[in-house]
Amino acid sequence: MGEVMVRLFERHRELGTLRDAYAESVAGTGQLTIVTGGPGVGKTELLHEFANTACKDGARVLHAVGSPRERAHPLGVIRELLHSGELPADAVDCSLQPHTNIDLASSTDYRTESLRSDRSGTQYAPETLLKTVSAPILELAGERPLVIVIDDAHLLDTQSLQTLLYLLRRMRTKRIAVVCAGWEQSALADPLIHDSLSRLPHRRVRLAPLSEQGVARLLAAQSTRPLPDGLDAAYHRVTGGNPMLVHALLDDGTQFGAELGDPVPSLAYRQAVLACLHRGEPRHLAVARALAALGEHADARTAALLLSTSPDAVQVVVDVLGSTGLLDGYRFRLPAAANAVLSDLDPGERSRLHGEIARLLYLDGAPAPEVTKHLMAAGQVAEPWGLSVLRLASEQALAADQVEQSTGYLRLAVRESASERERHTLSTALARAEWRVNPAAVTPYLEPLHHHVSAEDLAARDAATVVRHMLWQGETGLADETVTALAGSLDPRDAHVLAEVEFVRHCFYGVPQVSHRGDLAKVATLERATTGKVNTLWATVALLVSGDISAESVAQVTDALQSGQDSDLKLELTVISLTVIALTGRAETAMEVCEALLSDAVRRGWTTWRAVLLGVRARIALLQGDPATAEAQATEALELLDPQAWGVLIGLPLSTAVQANTALGRHESATQLLRRKVPDTMFNTVFGIQYLSARGHHYLSTDRPFAALNDFETCGHLMRERASAVQPLIPWRTDLAQANLRIGKARVAKELAEEQANLRHPLGTRSRAIALRVLAGTSQPRHRTALLRESIDLLQVCGDRMELALAFEDLSATHYELGDYSRARLVARQAAQEAGEGEPRAAAGGEGSAVAPSPAPAPSLAAVPAATPVASAAAALLSDAESRVAVLAALGYTNREISGRIHVTVSTVEQHLTRVYRKLNVASRTELPSKLLERQTPALPEHRSAPERRPRQHVAATRELPPLWRRLAM
């Protein structure tokens, strides 16, 4: 016989058994060989190779394949055998037409007229009929050796199996070799006949899956390069050694000429899985589908309940499928196999199957997410308990930051709910979940509910969600009406919900407070007085906003923000808190908390939180005088959400980006940002006012003072309606003063600046400092220095380096205008140190160089004449404390002012000055500036009335700074 084909691996012994049987049949002794094994293990290839070698040896080969679709057709396999023997068509037809003239093509006639039954009910064909049908096959063996090969013999129709048994009993002296291949452990239609077949003399060949070494040889035959380490083990692990599955994975992995790599299942693998199952019995496919749908819950008991059979029957099939390499226990070795099995199902049947699994799991008390997974796969909720399970699973998913899963569950629940009230509740829950990643997606669910809030169709929390959507979209008028209606209809136990909404409306959106609520800060104070503590996040923030500013209150708010305190308005409350903390002179603390919350939002995948917090971080950087960082963060924030998703909040990052670009001198970039379309409703909120303020400063910096004046006046008109809580956010009076000063209305500018400076709000330190600097610009030079020094003191508390540098520049220019060149130069050096730069560059010429005065803008620090350095050995003898006192005295501070800044007594200041005069050999403080310029000037001491301050970040590189700052850093 021929050589073994290269595609057969680890089958030499089995093929040898078939050769031996063939050799004995050629000698005149008929042989039966039964080949068993699961689908795909290589039975067909073994039979094919054996048949080829038999043909080459001169034998006539008849072959047929059993099929589940043809089991109902009598003698289907026998017909196939006769046709494969190349007999004339009339001979085949004649052999299948017995003398009884019964049409065997009709199973009905055959069963009703030609079959007899034994006591068990098994039907048999008459002896004469079997003889007539078998005669042509027996005659073929007289010409030359005959080989009959039947694949998938476990799927033989009953009449073909009876005919085969008849042949086997009469071929003992014939040159006939019969090879039947089929699944082991297969329950045939007639077990008695199956037993008869097995009791006949026969050889048995059991094909097992390939070993790991066999898989390695198979892979090596397919590859032109040495196999990577562990690749054979990987293929064996996912296929169980099933050659058909291995070949399918190879087809998927080496398509388009790719080199052999890790197993990646695709189309060929899915087709191979389905071929394995469809070649088996229907119950095998049914069990496989049940196990694929059950997933990790698969076991014999549950699958039996699902299929209305017994666990033992399921176990038999599981063992068969395990031997094929499809299953490992009750799980498919690859998820792709389970997916292929489920995809092969009719959609309706697949939905029914998952729905039934969900019911079984629910009755077994499985966790809500497990039940919900099958409800989602079913795509429908057939029973009332399904909606409650979906709601519970969505809450658990949201708690685990699985927003996509949570919203998917709720969408199905909304679609399947038959109750309108229940749909409203589910819609608001869906909106709260969706808001974390895409606020634009909530509109279809919440907009229809705008008119259901006041009709008492919604619970308090759901009503707050709808009002939040109104505010997010800038529908402040409708929100006002809704809140007013809710105030009269809500249960007193839900008053805290309305109070939180009111606080956010007033302090976040800048909407005038509804009069009936009174002072919300008093409500929070009353809560603390009654219970001894503040239990809600909004009340904690409200106390801080009301002016209860201390290290303790700031720490309480920062702890609350980073704790597990929950609130549907927590994002808005977080923005308020961080802004307030930054305005209290604790910008570093606000930045640290913002960074922590931002990292948490990134980790949890909350895109909305991430975008808004980036906008807040940019605003804090701007308050710190770091426009480069502010611009980068604001731009990143704008890119995270679509404009529709931002709603009116787009004004937060957009105004910051415009203002930062303006400060950096990037006026074209600011212009491009201002061309973006913003919602008209944004101007109903504080975000629209921030936008107008930023645009006004852009106009002011690009020599359009009248356009700036118009925007600032609009800001003033809108801000007058707001209470003190939001006034520090936009110092519109100072902005308006600067515009009036630019167009020559110094008197109006002075009045506005004085009015802003006189607003002693706890959060208005920065606004007051800027107002003092602008007010100094409207005053005579001899009055400016005190205003500018006070402005500098306040700005150092706030930490705004950009405004601080401007104040220093104005102070230096004032000293220069007064002819105090040494002090002007000392201030210039101090300004350069504040900006994080080195020594300011001296202007050409000496102290007597003429510089033409210019009222606006003030001369740059680089134009201040430099003093001629004079060596001084005594200068190095000053202690740090003496140096600080000397610098402050040189800048013009009085002894009492110095004592307040460095927290020592006036007497101590006087003692330090006495030692300074002696060491520097000066007679009075007026000589100090020129002497101090001879040595390295220490940094100006900061106010420390606030908690200890950390070192500030340096400003951006000088190439990114506007001309004024570049000159300052020289």
Side-chain angles (χ1 to χ4, degrees):
M1 298 179 72
E3 295 298 326
V4 180
M5 294 181 64
V6 70
R7 65 183 175 181
L8 287 181
F9 299 91
E10 296 186 335
R11 299 293 184 251
H12 296 80
R13 181 175 60 81
E14 292 81 356
L15 188 60
T17 301
L18 294 180
R19 286 173 173 174
D20 293 343
Y22 173 75
E24 292 191 23
S25 70
V26 171
T29 304
Q31 296 293 316
L32 167 65
T33 305
I34 300 175
V35 179
T36 60
V41 296
K43 298 188 301 295
T44 299
E45 289 185 346
L46 181 66
L47 296 184
H48 183 71
E49 181 61 27
F50 169 69
N52 283 340
T53 55
C55 281
K56 291 178 182 179
D57 199 52
R60 181 189 293 273
V61 178
L62 305 182
H63 57 83
V65 180
S67 169
R69 294 186 178 89
E70 297 180 3
R71 293 184 74 174
H73 299 291
L75 297 176
V77 171
I78 298 301
R79 290 176 185 272
E80 189 176 351
L81 285 174
L82 292 174
H83 282 294
S84 69
E86 300 179 355
L87 292 176
D90 56 347
V92 174
D93 292 340
C94 180
S95 67
L96 294 177
Q97 295 294 332
H99 60 84
T100 55
N101 295 320
I102 298 175
D103 183 7
L104 295 183
S106 170
S107 60
T108 302
D109 291 342
Y110 188 89
R111 290 180 184 276
T112 57
E113 300 184 29
S114 303
L115 299 182
R116 59 184 178 83
S117 301
D118 65 3
R119 294 178 181 178
S120 67
T122 303
Q123 295 179 323
Y124 296 91
E127 184 79 12
T128 55
L129 179 60
L130 294 176
K131 181 178 180 180
T132 303
V133 174
S134 303
I137 299 176
L138 293 172
E139 290 175 4
L140 291 175
E143 303 173 5
R144 49 180 171 160
L146 178 66
V147 174
I148 298 175
V149 176
I150 302 177
D151 200 359
D152 288 340
H154 58 284
L155 298 177
L156 286 174
D157 62 272
T158 303
Q159 293 74 27
S160 293
L161 183 58
Q162 291 176 41
T163 304
L164 179 62
L165 288 170
Y166 184 86
L167 285 170
L168 290 172
R169 287 192 293 268
R170 286 158 180 77
M171 71 177 198
R172 295 180 181 178
T173 58
K174 304 287 184 179
R175 294 187 299 170
I176 300 176
V178 177
V179 180
C180 295
W183 284 22
E184 202 167 19
Q185 296 175 300
S186 177
L188 294 177
D190 195 334
L192 293 179
I193 294 179
H194 178 252
D195 290 342
S196 299
L197 179 64
S198 299
R199 283 197 297 268
L200 292 175
H202 69 278
R203 287 178 168 85
R204 183 176 292 275
V205 174
R206 288 187 173 89
L207 288 185
L210 298 178
S211 67
E212 189 173 317
Q213 293 75 20
V215 172
R217 288 195 290 272
L218 192 158
L219 296 178
Q222 300 293 321
S223 178
T224 58
R225 299 181 181 180
L227 296 179
D229 291 341
L231 191 65
D232 51 350
Y235 273 85
H236 187 270
R237 183 172 58 255
V238 299
T239 63
N242 186 313
M244 178 187 290
L245 300 180
V246 175
H247 279 293
L249 286 173
L250 287 173
D251 290 343
D252 287 332
T254 58
Q255 59 181 335
F256 308 118
E259 284 297 326
L260 186 62
D262 291 335
V264 180
S266 188
L267 180 61
Y269 177 78
R270 292 195 293 268
Q271 291 175 338
V273 169
L274 294 176
C276 285
L277 294 172
H278 282 288
R279 288 173 63 182
E281 298 179 31
R283 65 184 181 131
H284 294 160
L285 186 58
V287 170
R289 287 168 172 172
L291 297 179
L294 283 167
E296 61 185 26
H297 295 285
D299 57 37
R301 184 189 72 86
T302 310
L305 289 173
L306 197 61
L307 299 172
S308 300
T309 185
S310 69
D312 290 340
V314 170
Q315 188 61 51
V316 169
V317 177
V318 169
D319 293 341
V320 173
L321 297 181
S323 69
T324 70
L326 286 175
L327 296 181
D328 182 7
Y330 295 97
R331 312 285 190 275
F332 283 86
R333 290 180 180 267
L334 280 176
N339 293 337
V341 172
L342 292 177
S343 299
D344 189 52
L345 267 173
D346 175 80
E349 178 60 23
R350 184 166 60 247
S351 174
R352 186 205 64 78
L353 183 62
H354 280 291
E356 183 62 20
I357 292 173
R359 187 185 68 82
L360 290 176
L361 292 177
Y362 175 75
L363 294 176
D364 276 350
E370 299 301 327
V371 180
T372 300
K373 181 167 59 177
H374 291 284
L375 288 176
M376 294 294 292
Q380 61 183 3
V381 180
E383 300 187 52
W385 53 261
L387 293 178
S388 60
V389 169
L390 284 170
R391 181 70 182 272
L392 177 59
S394 74
E395 292 173 354
Q396 294 177 0
L398 196 60
D401 298 319
Q402 298 168 342
V403 177
E404 186 175 354
Q405 287 188 18
S406 176
T407 55
Y409 299 159
L410 289 172
R411 286 193 192 97
L412 177 61
V414 170
R415 191 184 73 205
E416 293 293 303
S417 175
S419 166
E420 183 179 27
R421 187 180 183 87
E422 187 175 42
R423 279 199 304 273
H424 292 168
T425 301
L426 292 168
S427 294
T428 54
L430 173 58
R432 284 191 289 270
E434 192 77 67
W435 221 313
R436 300 187 182 188
V437 294
N438 183 16
V442 309
T443 298
Y445 299 102
L446 294 186
E447 203 167 60
L449 301 182
H450 282 187
H451 300 289
H452 287 272
V453 181
S454 57
E456 301 182 13
D457 289 343
L458 298 176
R461 184 188 182 194
D462 297 337
T465 300
V466 178
V467 173
R468 183 196 194 195
H469 179 257
M470 296 174 184
L471 293 169
W472 195 282
Q473 299 300 321
E475 301 292 342
T476 56
L478 182 58
D480 290 346
E481 296 174 6
T482 304
V483 170
T484 302
L486 285 174
S489 61
L490 276 183
D491 190 298
R493 291 172 294 182
D494 296 323
H496 67 281
V497 176
L498 185 59
E500 184 177 47
V501 171
E502 272 285 72
F503 179 73
V504 168
R505 286 177 65 246
H506 176 55
C507 293
F508 182 74
Y509 291 97
V511 177
Q513 190 171 317
V514 177
S515 58
H516 74 273
R517 290 299 303 167
D519 189 350
L520 289 168
K522 291 181 180 179
V523 176
T525 304
L526 180 62
E527 179 181 342
R528 182 169 63 179
T530 304
T531 63
K533 60 180 180 178
V534 178
N535 297 314
T536 54
L537 178 61
W538 82 264
T540 306
V541 180
L543 290 175
L544 187 65
V545 173
S546 68
D548 183 9
I549 299 170
S550 63
E552 181 183 357
S553 63
V554 170
Q556 185 178 5
V557 170
T558 55
D559 289 344
L561 292 179
Q562 298 178 85
S563 70
Q565 276 200 56
D566 196 18
S567 167
D568 294 327
L569 297 172
K570 188 171 182 178
L571 177 57
E572 290 86 340
L573 294 172
T574 299
V575 175
I576 297 170
S577 303
L578 295 176
T579 304
V580 169
I581 293 171
L583 288 173
T584 63
R586 296 170 173 83
E588 291 87 356
T589 300
M591 185 68 82
E592 289 175 4
V593 176
C594 187
E595 289 282 6
L597 294 173
L598 188 55
S599 298
D600 189 56
V602 172
R603 178 183 61 82
R604 303 176 80 170
W606 293 1
T607 308
T608 305
W609 273 73
R610 182 183 172 193
V612 174
L613 286 173
L614 277 170
V616 176
R617 189 185 186 283
R619 177 65 66 176
I620 296 172
L622 200 60
L623 292 175
Q624 290 180 304
D626 187 358
T629 299
E631 188 276 334
Q633 298 290 328
T635 300
E636 184 180 353
L638 286 168
E639 292 173 351
L640 279 176
L641 292 179
D642 293 333
Q644 295 82 0
W646 274 107
V648 299
L649 267 70
I650 195 172
L652 172 63
L654 188 56
S655 61
T656 302
V658 170
Q659 199 166 344
N661 276 288
T662 299
L664 293 168
R666 303 173 187 171
H667 300 306
E668 183 57 35
S669 297
T671 301
Q672 292 297 327
L673 288 168
L674 289 170
R675 288 174 181 165
R676 293 196 179 194
K677 183 175 177 55
V678 296
D680 293 337
T681 53
M682 183 181 74
F683 298 99
N684 297 336
T685 68
V686 73
F687 304 109
I689 303 174
Q690 290 176 348
Y691 176 85
L692 290 173
S693 177
R695 189 173 71 179
H697 281 287
H698 168 68
Y699 289 154
L700 206 60
S701 297
T702 52
D703 296 325
R704 288 178 281 179
F706 287 99
L709 184 68
N710 182 64
D711 277 349
F712 293 148
E713 286 178 341
T714 304
C715 287
H717 173 72
L718 294 172
M719 286 296 291
R720 285 187 183 94
E721 302 174 358
R722 273 71 182 170
S724 58
V726 294
Q727 293 292 341
L729 299 177
I730 305 172
W732 60 271
R733 296 175 184 84
T734 306
D735 295 342
L736 199 53
Q738 292 183 74
N740 277 284
L741 193 61
R742 183 67 65 87
I743 63 177
K745 294 185 177 180
R747 181 177 176 180
V748 176
K750 184 173 183 177
E751 292 174 354
L752 289 166
E754 286 178 340
E755 185 179 355
Q756 183 70 54
N758 290 332
L759 294 175
R760 304 280 182 160
H761 192 281
L763 304 179
T765 303
R766 179 177 177 275
S767 299
R768 173 175 163 76
I770 297 173
L772 289 171
R773 183 180 65 78
V774 175
L775 182 60
T778 67
S779 306
Q780 294 297 320
R782 62 180 181 276
H783 298 145
R784 287 182 201 159
T785 54
L787 292 171
L788 290 171
R789 283 201 303 269
E790 185 179 357
S791 176
I792 288 170
D793 291 345
L794 294 175
L795 288 169
Q796 285 197 316
V797 172
C798 298
D800 189 334
R801 299 181 67 88
M802 185 166 61
E803 286 292 340
L804 182 60
L806 292 175
F808 269 123
E809 179 173 341
D810 288 352
L811 181 59
S812 179
T814 300
H815 285 308
Y816 174 79
E817 192 173 348
L818 292 171
D820 193 348
Y821 301 121
S822 296
R823 187 164 288 165
R825 181 60 183 173
L826 183 64
V827 173
R829 179 179 293 174
Q830 186 66 52
Q833 289 175 342
E834 272 299 330
E837 306 297 336
E839 181 79 11
R841 187 175 61 189
E847 186 174 325
S849 299
V851 179
S854 176
S860 69
L861 296 182
V864 178
T868 303
V870 178
S872 175
L877 300 177
L878 293 180
S879 67
D880 289 342
E882 291 167 352
S883 295
R884 287 196 295 270
V885 171
V887 170
L888 290 171
L891 290 174
Y893 288 88
T894 66
N895 289 356
R896 185 169 298 280
E897 290 171 339
I898 295 172
S899 70
R901 287 183 62 88
I902 64 175
H903 304 293
V904 297
T905 65
V906 176
S907 175
T908 302
V909 173
E910 292 171 350
Q911 294 172 20
H912 283 322
L913 280 177
T914 300
R915 288 192 290 271
V916 168
Y917 292 162
R918 183 177 66 251
K919 291 179 179 181
L920 298 184
N921 194 24
V922 297
S924 66
R925 66 201 308 144
T926 57
E927 299 178 31
L928 281 175
S930 59
K931 285 293 183 180
L932 289 175
L933 286 171
E934 298 172 10
R935 54 171 287 159
Q936 182 66 34
T937 308
L940 184 66
E942 298 179 359
H943 272 312
R944 300 193 179 272
S945 55
E948 287 297 316
R949 300 172 56 78
R950 296 172 176 81
R952 302 188 187 93
Q953 297 177 347
H954 292 320
V955 295
T958 55
R959 66 176 181 275
E960 297 183 356
L961 299 178
L964 175 63
W965 277 59
R966 286 200 298 270
R967 293 197 301 272
L968 177 64
M970 292 177 181

